[in-house]
Amino acid sequence: MNWRSISFRLVALYCGLLLVLGLSFSLFTVFSFERYTEVSIRAAVTVRASVIWDIIRGSIGKPAEVGALIERFSPAEQNRFFLVNVGGRTIYRSGNPADGSFDPSRLPFVDASLGPRYSNYGAVFLYSRRFTAPDGRAVTIETGQSDLFARDLEDSLVTSLVIGLPLLLLAAAAASYVLIRRALSPVEVMIQAAEAISFRNPRNRLPPLGTGDRVEALGLALNRMLDRLDSAYQHANRFSSDAAHELRTPLAIIQGELEFAMARGELAANVESALSNVLDEVGRLSKIVESLLMLSRMDHPSSQRGYASLDLHALAAETIEQMHLLAAEKRVTLKGPTGGKVMVSGDRDRLKQILVNLLDNGIKYNVAGGHVVVDVSAGPGVARLTVADSGIGIAPENLDYVFDRFYRVSTNRGEVGAGLGLAIVKSICHAHGGLISVASKVGLGTTFCVTLPSASRDAAPAPAATVPEMRDRVIESAA
Ligand code: ADP
């Protein structure tokens, strides 16, 4: 349970509110009940004293039995108490109550000479009032009633509240949690949709919720923000693509002119050497421009059109064959893939570019007598290409950045790359719904692992998210 989540806070707020209301209601109920009991008992004993006086006033001092008259009220059965005192002598005292809640013989005679009196004796509420008989004698009538029954009722009420309130709170917490989850389900939909938006499908947007509330307003605002970001990204992408495109022609002309000037052989040796350096740099510049052009094209969603099914194994074998000479020059051995066909769907030239760039690095950053081993294998729903070399390796602090554009590790070995080779490999992988990872040990070698979705029947690339193991990551690196 996340204590800071909106769901938890709403449930806590709701339950807190319910607790305060429940406690207030319980206190109010118990207090009102006590009050009601007291008022009704007080009224009952008061009225009863007057009624008794009305009944017995005529028989005071006459032979009629006062006790017999009062017994009409059945005090014992109804748990009531009556006492009649005439001229200081108690002539009647009711018997033991049926519920045994009090002992009538222990209840005192309360003097009411100064006026009617209310008093409590244990569970009994007593009322005492003095009357004057026709013969002038003082008659004190005492009526009492046990509130045991009311107390029992109150205890039951408190017990049900003590048990009921927590149960009510639990039920309310569960119900409010379910309701809040349901109310927040549109946010869940938005999260899923937002997770699915990437540079591979930049036109995807959050779905319209149709709820007409602030959550829908948030979705619409995010969609507008995505529109703006997409347009800015397309703009920047178009700019680098156009710039690279525009640079191509002048560079080709410079290159041609330089080659022409040098081919005539009329130049002084120092000028020729300077021009040769310029030609090298122009060549390097042309490669960078070509790489940038390729990267900006890879970033465009239309780059995924025209994919076809092809055998990655055969493509690797063919590329190794073509790069043998280059490897031999550096005294590096290339070892080809074993096994059979591994079908993937994609752009042949670009997939070949992956192999060329990885093999080129494997040769370039190797040691004399070293080797580069290429392996192609198939897993469930994926094709895996690994290029492992026995070269200089990459230090852990550089490993996270080698796929960044223009990132180069200084090796003091004189290799002059532009730092775009691995960025291109990563872009091609992503455009094919695949991923790339790297593991390296300084002084022992580096292994790149490319994972691509296997070719499906309709030859369309599967989105990366559909292949569970496909997450860009650096596998391992040790100095
Ligand atoms: P570059 O054109 O400089 O080779 P890359 O993008 O291909 O650019 O590589 C980026 C950096 O990663 C390189 O400068 C290099 O230091 C390092 N690197 C790439 N591949 C390897 C490898 N197989 N072994 C050691 N270092 C490598």
Side-chain angles (χ1 to χ4, degrees):
M1 173 74 80
N2 179 3
W3 309 111
R4 293 191 308 181
S5 70
I6 289 190
S7 318
F8 178 78
R9 279 191 285 172
L10 282 177
V11 170
L13 195 77
Y14 182 62
C15 288
L17 200 69
L18 216 63
L19 182 69
V20 171
L21 285 177
L23 281 177
S24 317
F25 172 76
S26 306
L27 288 176
F28 176 76
T29 310
V30 173
F31 178 75
S32 304
F33 183 78
E34 273 180 4
R35 189 85 197 109
Y36 168 78
T37 310
E38 191 190 324
V39 167
S40 49
I41 291 180
R42 179 185 278 252
V45 291
T46 309
V47 169
R48 244 173 257 147
S50 302
V51 172
I52 289 173
W53 174 241
D54 286 346
I55 293 172
I56 65 172
R57 67 196 309 170
S59 45
I60 297 292
K62 294 187 181 159
E65 182 64 48
V66 168
L69 290 173
I70 295 175
E71 284 304 325
R72 277 176 39 203
F73 288 99
S74 343
E77 286 73 25
Q78 299 195 45
N79 307 315
R80 291 170 182 169
F81 172 73
F82 297 129
L83 178 146
V84 180
N85 182 292
V86 180
R89 193 172 63 90
T90 299
I91 60 165
Y92 175 75
R93 183 186 287 267
S94 58
N96 286 335
D99 65 358
S101 55
F102 61 90
D103 178 0
S105 63
R106 290 172 154 259
L107 291 177
F109 166 66
V110 180
D111 180 22
S113 53
L114 298 175
R117 280 185 61 187
Y118 294 98
S119 45
N120 270 309
Y121 291 92
V124 184
F125 188 80
L126 275 186
Y127 174 65
S128 185
R129 186 171 167 191
R130 186 173 171 163
F131 301 90
T132 308
D135 59 5
R137 281 183 296 168
V139 178
T140 303
I141 296 179
E142 223 171 81
T143 57
Q145 183 168 331
S146 160
D147 64 354
L148 196 70
F149 178 68
R151 282 192 200 178
D152 284 350
L153 265 181
E154 189 183 330
D155 286 351
S156 315
L157 181 68
V158 170
T159 311
S160 14
L161 287 172
V162 165
I163 296 173
L165 196 61
L167 286 180
L168 181 81
L169 278 180
L170 269 181
S176 57
Y177 182 72
V178 171
L179 286 177
I180 289 163
R181 289 298 295 225
R182 195 168 286 180
L184 289 180
S185 62
V187 178
E188 229 25 76
V189 173
M190 279 168 64
I191 292 171
Q192 307 264 326
E195 290 287 1
I197 297 174
S198 70
F199 280 117
R200 281 174 49 76
N201 46 21
R203 297 283 146 78
N204 278 14
R205 291 291 176 269
L206 304 178
L209 298 176
T211 49
D213 55 10
R214 301 312 293 157
V215 179
E216 188 184 19
L218 174 68
L220 294 175
L222 287 175
N223 277 346
R224 286 194 293 275
M225 184 190 77
L226 286 172
D227 285 344
R228 290 194 294 276
L229 286 179
D230 186 37
S231 126
Y233 178 73
Q234 297 302 338
H235 186 77
N237 199 29
R238 235 181 350 260
F239 173 78
S240 51
S241 167
D242 290 349
H245 193 75
E246 289 303 313
L247 284 172
R248 253 173 149 192
T249 316
L251 278 175
I253 293 169
I254 294 170
Q255 199 166 9
E257 292 291 337
L258 284 172
E259 280 167 357
F260 176 71
M262 289 171 69
R264 288 167 68 177
E266 294 166 357
L267 301 171
N270 56 344
V271 176
E272 193 173 324
S273 148
L275 284 188
S276 164
N277 286 344
V278 174
L279 196 59
D280 284 350
E281 287 307 309
V282 170
R284 210 168 84 80
L285 210 56
S286 297
K287 274 190 195 158
I288 293 175
V289 167
E290 284 304 325
S291 298
L292 282 176
L293 200 58
M294 176 178 277
L295 275 170
S296 58
R297 283 178 184 159
M298 292 303 310
D299 288 346
H300 202 272
S302 65
S303 70
Q304 292 156 30
R305 281 189 221 119
Y307 283 0
S309 225
L310 62 101
D311 179 9
L312 189 62
H313 187 276
L315 188 69
E318 176 195 305
T319 314
I320 288 172
E321 189 58 41
Q322 289 163 352
M323 294 187 76
H324 255 305
L325 275 181
L326 179 72
E329 265 176 37
K330 301 260 183 168
R331 294 187 36 224
V332 172
T333 315
L334 298 187
K335 295 180 186 167
T338 51
K341 276 185 174 183
V342 176
M343 301 305 289
V344 292
S345 133
D347 181 317
R348 191 175 194 282
D349 290 345
R350 285 177 178 164
L351 290 179
K352 183 164 180 151
Q353 187 79 49
I354 293 181
L355 280 153
V356 169
N357 287 12
L358 292 181
L359 280 170
D360 188 49
N361 280 354
I363 296 168
K364 214 160 48 173
Y365 301 109
N366 218 315
V367 290
H371 57 261
V372 182
V373 182
V374 177
D375 186 51
V376 178
S377 62
V382 292
R384 223 174 265 112
L385 163 76
T386 54
V387 178
D389 64 59
S390 58
I392 57 172
I394 304 170
E397 63 271 22
N398 299 320
L399 210 56
D400 280 344
Y401 308 105
V402 288
F403 296 108
D404 291 355
R405 294 176 186 189
F406 294 109
Y407 186 83
R408 284 167 52 209
V409 182
S410 149
T411 57
N412 298 327
R413 287 162 49 102
E415 295 91 2
V416 275
L420 287 171
L422 290 179
I424 289 175
V425 170
K426 185 178 168 182
S427 269
I428 298 174
C429 287
H430 282 189
H432 284 77
L435 293 168
I436 181 163
S437 56
V438 59
S440 188
K441 282 193 166 83
V442 171
L444 286 180
T446 305
T447 301
F448 287 95
C449 177
V450 171
T451 318
L452 297 166
S454 315
S456 56
R457 267 180 303 157
D458 58 1
T466 61
V467 185
E469 63 181 83
M470 286 193 174
R471 298 277 179 275
D472 268 335
R473 66 196 190 281
V474 175
I475 302 170
E476 176 195 348
S477 167

